[in-house]
Amino acid sequence: MELQKPRGTRDFLFEEMKERKFVEKTMKKVFETYGYQEIKTPIFEDLSLFTLKSGEGIIEEIYHFQDKGGRDLALRPELTAPVARIYLNQLQKSPKPIKMYYFGSCFRYERPQAGRFRQFWQLGCELIGGKSPDCEAEIIALASHCLEELKLEDYQIHLGNLGILRGILNQEGVSNHQQDQIMAIVDKGDVLELKKLLKEFKIDEKSGNILLELIGMHGHREIIDDVKKIIADYPSALESLEELEKLLTMLESFGFRDYLVNLGIARGLDYYTGCVFEIYVEGLGAQKQISGGGTYNLIEVFGGEKVESTGFAFGFDRVMEVLKIQKTKPPIKSRLEVFVAPISPETKLNAFEIAQQIRKKGIRTDVELVGRKLKKILSFADNSGARFVVLVGARDLKNGEITLKDMRSGNQEQIPIETIADVLIQRINSLK
């Protein structure tokens, strides 16, 4: 029987995992620099957590099942809803704002293609109880900071505010359910389907034309005045535009000016209510979006009090793909720093003792385990990336010494056994 991994999943081997761990560690360090703390949620949750307010597109893609007790469960398709549950279960009385970040795998049953998998990873954060647009500005600056640290190039951050479009639809008396349908089509960028839907919902021609014009508007701060003229007769939409304008001002105080206003951003989840943003990188084809987020009202939907929340997540796999395309190779440590080699079978146990002595000093160390001859041991140690080999011979042991070989220079020297770990620490630090 030939064993295959499930469709839409991947195996990550040694070098790729080193790269992924480096990127993960770099991003987490930035999150913590901004005062965020890490949380973990279960990989599966009650199905209702995601079906209550996650958008029809995601509901169709959920991996769901019943456990042996007949409970309806689902593999998490995203991580914002679990964060809202954590808040409701344990954090409602905590001082606000609450800053949390997470990293974990998510699952959606969709057609696998370039940049899209059935198991994928998200690294993101949520800020619960902050005040907009202050928290939105900080979160957008945080997202940009992560990409700067990774030296990722040519990314664009697009900003919008769903309140502008919803303000027009509210004035037209469009129901929340119909608005969600419209937003889903806007998110897909399907103008023809949007026109059909606006006609089907009998939306006033003037308002419909304004909606179509707005979702095609992209530009820098100067387009705000143009938008004001277009939506002059829609007070609620104007109020949301003013919020967006305040956000742009605050972003500048965070030292961030490289953005595009894009009123066609809708996001694929129904719970976003105000500011939304997405980050794009050319070169990924149709899957050029590497991050997205905004302000949402999910906690109230789940039965909690009304509390403003803002968050975003990186599509971690797409970030990795961009770094690969841009040939930005994360710095990777070799697997080993030291290899301990018994020269003869009778020194094997001594080699184990010395290897443990070195490992307890935090030095990445391997030891010969399969009984090879010295020439093959040295070849294996070299291929493993070890800079130093500790040769354990019977004659040296009688003198309380071992031989230290520098694999780069070929130099060898005798070192007292009791000082070998400290000598290695000095040598390794001098190479950094």
Side-chain angles (χ1 to χ4, degrees):
M1 180 177 69
E2 186 177 3
L3 299 176
Q4 297 285 342
K5 66 181 182 294
R7 189 163 183 250
T9 64
R10 292 154 295 162
D11 296 315
F12 302 111
L13 296 182
F14 313 121
E15 293 304 305
E16 191 169 5
M17 276 307 302
K18 288 177 186 175
E19 293 175 357
R20 290 174 72 89
K21 292 300 288 185
F22 173 84
V23 173
E24 175 192 344
K25 184 178 178 181
T26 300
M27 286 185 166
K28 285 182 173 181
K29 184 178 180 181
V30 176
F31 280 108
E32 291 175 5
T33 300
Y34 283 68
Y36 287 78
Q37 299 181 86
E38 187 172 14
I39 60 167
K40 285 286 184 186
T41 67
I43 288 178
F44 60 90
E45 300 264 8
D46 285 338
L47 177 61
S48 60
L49 182 68
F50 303 111
T51 56
L52 187 61
K53 194 67 175 175
S54 286
E56 293 181 5
I58 286 185
I59 289 172
E60 292 174 0
E61 297 169 352
I62 288 177
Y63 276 91
H64 59 89
F65 58 96
Q66 283 194 338
D67 66 8
K68 293 180 179 180
R71 290 171 285 262
D72 289 312
L73 302 173
L75 297 179
R76 61 190 182 198
E78 48 92 13
L79 280 155
T80 301
V83 169
R85 178 191 56 73
I86 281 183
Y87 173 80
L88 286 168
N89 290 166
Q90 303 179 60
L91 297 172
Q92 291 192 66
K93 295 181 180 179
S94 298
K96 296 178 181 61
I98 303 169
K99 292 182 169 184
M100 300 178 274
Y101 79 88
Y102 49 77
F103 177 66
S105 55
C106 300
F107 305 84
R108 294 185 192 173
Y109 189 85
E110 54 187 353
R111 185 172 65 85
Q113 52 187 296
R116 193 179 285 273
F117 303 94
R118 290 178 176 172
Q119 181 185 14
F120 56 95
W121 277 259
Q122 287 187 347
L123 199 161
C125 69
E126 310 295 336
L127 195 161
I128 298 176
K131 183 182 177 182
S132 292
D134 309 49
C135 54
E136 296 160 351
E138 183 184 86
I139 272 187
I140 292 166
L142 165 58
S144 179
H145 194 159
C146 284
L147 300 181
E148 289 172 8
E149 288 295 311
L150 293 172
K151 297 181 172 54
L152 192 146
E153 300 175 348
D154 301 327
Y155 63 89
Q156 290 184 337
I157 298 184
H158 289 224
L159 309 172
N161 190 306
L162 292 181
I164 298 170
L165 302 184
R166 288 192 183 272
I168 295 169
L169 294 171
N170 285 332
Q171 193 161 317
E172 287 297 314
V174 181
S175 71
N176 287 338
H177 178 65
Q178 289 176 331
Q179 287 190 32
D180 290 344
Q181 290 178 267
I182 290 170
M183 291 300 177
I185 298 301
V186 172
D187 183 54
K188 292 177 181 177
D190 192 336
V191 175
L192 291 177
E193 185 63 27
L194 179 59
K195 287 180 179 178
K196 284 172 58 179
L197 205 58
L198 295 175
K199 188 175 182 181
E200 180 184 331
F201 293 161
K202 298 179 180 178
I203 292 173
D204 177 76
E205 184 178 356
K206 175 190 171 185
S207 295
N209 288 336
I210 287 175
L211 285 169
L212 290 167
E213 184 176 4
L214 289 176
I215 65 173
M217 294 187 74
H218 302 166
H220 293 284
R221 190 171 187 141
E222 64 273 8
I223 76 166
I224 297 292
D225 290 336
D226 296 332
V227 177
K228 283 180 182 177
K229 294 173 186 175
I230 294 170
I231 63 173
D233 297 329
Y234 301 87
S236 178
L238 276 170
E239 189 177 325
S240 294
L241 181 64
E242 288 172 6
E243 290 177 6
L244 178 59
E245 195 169 15
K246 287 178 184 176
L247 171 60
L248 302 184
T249 300
M250 289 206 170
L251 279 172
E252 291 175 4
S253 69
F254 275 91
F256 183 76
R257 292 176 173 80
D258 191 14
Y259 58 80
L260 281 173
V261 175
N262 180 351
L263 301 185
I265 299 175
R267 305 292 295 139
L269 298 169
D270 295 344
Y271 48 69
Y272 286 102
T273 56
C275 160
V276 285
F277 73 94
E278 294 180 347
I279 304 178
Y280 306 119
V281 180
E282 297 300 329
L284 284 178
Q287 310 303 328
K288 66 180 181 178
Q289 182 186 326
I290 64 168
S291 181
T295 295
Y296 60 88
N297 181 21
L298 188 58
I299 289 164
E300 188 178 20
V301 171
F302 288 162
E305 82 280 17
K306 188 172 184 177
V307 57
E308 194 167 84
S309 305
T310 304
F312 81 97
F314 284 109
F316 189 80
D317 306 278
R318 293 186 188 176
V319 172
M320 296 303 304
E321 184 63 22
V322 171
L323 292 172
K324 182 179 177 182
I325 290 171
Q326 295 185 357
K327 297 181 179 177
T328 306
K329 195 168 180 63
I332 300 228
K333 293 180 179 178
S334 62
R335 179 172 77 88
L336 296 176
E337 293 168 307
V338 176
F339 197 96
V340 179
I343 292 177
S344 59
E346 57 266 27
T347 62
K348 178 173 66 174
L349 298 181
N350 302 95
F352 292 164
E353 291 176 7
I354 292 167
Q356 287 302 96
Q357 179 186 341
I358 297 169
R359 285 166 171 164
K360 287 181 179 180
K361 292 289 187 176
I363 300 170
R364 287 176 286 118
T365 304
D366 203 351
V367 63
E368 175 61 21
L369 296 172
V370 296
R372 285 171 286 213
K373 299 293 185 183
L374 181 59
K375 185 176 180 181
K376 289 188 176 180
I377 292 175
L378 292 174
S379 176
F380 181 81
D382 193 36
N383 290 332
S384 298
R387 176 63 186 265
F388 300 100
V389 172
V390 174
L391 300 169
V392 183
R395 186 179 301 172
D396 286 343
L397 288 174
K398 287 179 181 179
N399 296 325
E401 297 177 332
I402 46 84
T403 298
L404 181 62
K405 180 180 178 68
D406 186 324
M407 296 297 287
R408 186 77 55 83
S409 66
N411 294 336
Q412 294 186 183
E413 58 184 307
Q414 265 62 50
I415 305 289
I417 293 174
E418 65 270 15
T419 65
I420 182 60
D422 292 331
V423 169
L424 283 166
I425 288 173
Q426 292 175 2
R427 299 287 170 85
I428 290 167
N429 287 338
S430 70
L431 297 173
K432 293 179 180 177

